[in-house]
Amino acid sequence: MSSINTHVGKMIRKYRKAANLTLQQLADAIHKSRATICKYENGDISMDIETLYEISQVLQVSVPQLTDIGRLQEEADHSSAYAARKSPFFQAKMLYFYFYDGRYNRMKDGVINIHEKEGNGSYRATLSICSVSGNGRSSESYYNGSVLYSDMLIRFSFVNQYNPLEEDLLYIFNPLEFRTHTDGLLCGISSADLMPCAFKCLVALEKQELNEELRKHLLFTKTELQRWKKLNMLLIDNYETGSRQV
């Protein structure tokens, strides 16, 4: 049963009753059987545009009033958005963020906080990244930004709080999958050397242990490196030993 047929059938029933017409009266007016009209209204069968026009003339409404495609699309979008919200990544107010910085040969981790902006359906986010230098001293970088949700990915757009020239994009892939972590890609211009950079990253609902297993996961594999090289999209510094293809 088509959702469009069901929607149009409901609209026909609505306007037929508003016009105080019975199923038989509408059927007689367009030279159809009562059973056929009943199937139209239940969405069991579709009708051609000529029949739809004839029904609209009898009910004294326009064809767009019967189809009301804009409203149907809004309902579909709302349904899709509701389904997406059931994924944990669409409900999360805090996400844990990890990547391996090949320039300094160390892992970095951060926290993303998400909040709705003034209850109007748009979302803001903050990102803090912690890094530990070779002498053991730690420092943090702070970013403010926005969030866009879709079925295929979630996109964060961040600007460095202390250096507005540094703007980074974080993409989270496959957010509809029900799991506690997923891969992402962080790309932008580094304020350290004003060079373009991109990092494979892990975004998780729960805090991860900074161990060798996580470090290996954050490195580009040989297969990934070959794919990126073939597409000529990235220059990669964080790669598995022996896998660099240049």
Side-chain angles (χ1 to χ4, degrees), residues 3-16:
S3 60
I4 295 179
N5 288 345
T6 301
H7 180 77
V8 172
K10 288 180 179 179
M11 300 304 290
I12 291 174
R13 182 184 293 114
K14 170 186 172 181
Y15 287 112
R16 176 179 63 79

Side-chain angles (χ1 to χ4, degrees), residues 93-105:
K93 300 302 180 185
M94 176 182 292
L95 295 169
Y96 297 93
F97 170 74
Y98 305 87
F99 70 98
Y100 182 81
D101 193 336
R103 299 169 301 178
Y104 306 106
N105 297 317

Side-chain angles (χ1 to χ4, degrees), residues 16 27 33-34 39 42-44 46 50 65 67 72 74 86 88 91-92 106 173 180 184 189 191 194 241 246:
R16 176 179 63 79
S33 69
R34 182 182 183 281
K39 289 180 180 179
N42 290 333
D44 295 330
S46 59
E50 184 178 350
Q65 283 177 280
T67 57
L72 184 61
E74 288 178 4
K86 293 191 291 186
Q91 299 179 24
R106 63 177 65 96
F173 306 118
T180 59
I189 302 295
S191 59
L194 297 181
T241 303
V246 293

Side-chain angles (χ1 to χ4, degrees), residues 27-45:
D28 292 342
I30 65 170
H31 309 290
K32 300 284 186 181
S33 69
R34 182 182 183 281
T36 298
I37 299 299
C38 186
K39 289 180 180 179
Y40 286 157
E41 291 192 355
N42 290 333
D44 295 330
I45 58 175

Side-chain angles (χ1 to χ4, degrees), residues 61-159:
V61 296
S62 65
V63 171
Q65 283 177 280
L66 293 179
T67 57
D68 202 5
I69 297 301
R71 177 180 172 185
L72 184 61
Q73 183 61 49
E74 288 178 4
E75 291 175 353
D77 292 343
H78 177 75
S79 177
S80 176
Y82 177 76
R85 291 294 174 189
K86 293 191 291 186
S87 168
F89 279 94
F90 286 82
Q91 299 179 24
K93 300 302 180 185
M94 176 182 292
L95 295 169
Y96 297 93
F97 170 74
Y98 305 87
F99 70 98
Y100 182 81
D101 193 336
R103 299 169 301 178
Y104 306 106
N105 297 317
R106 63 177 65 96
M107 284 189 289
K108 295 182 178 180
D109 65 302
V111 174
I112 301 171
N113 287 291
I114 304 166
H115 57 276
E116 188 172 2
K117 183 180 179 182
E118 298 177 355
N120 62 1
S122 61
Y123 291 83
R124 305 292 297 173
T126 60
L127 167 65
S128 61
I129 297 178
C130 179
S131 60
V132 180
S133 63
N135 59 16
R137 298 183 61 184
S138 63
S139 61
E140 283 191 300
S141 300
Y142 299 95
Y143 301 80
N144 294 314
S146 59
V147 193
L148 287 178
Y149 294 95
S150 77
D151 292 348
M152 297 301 296
L153 56 82
I154 300 175
R155 190 195 77 177
F156 293 86
S157 177
F158 291 113
V159 175

Side-chain angles (χ1 to χ4, degrees), residues 35 61 108 114 139 163 177 223 227-228 233:
V61 296
K108 295 182 178 180
I114 304 166
S139 61
N163 185 355
E177 294 185 11
T223 300
R227 184 169 70 249
W228 289 120
M233 295 177 68

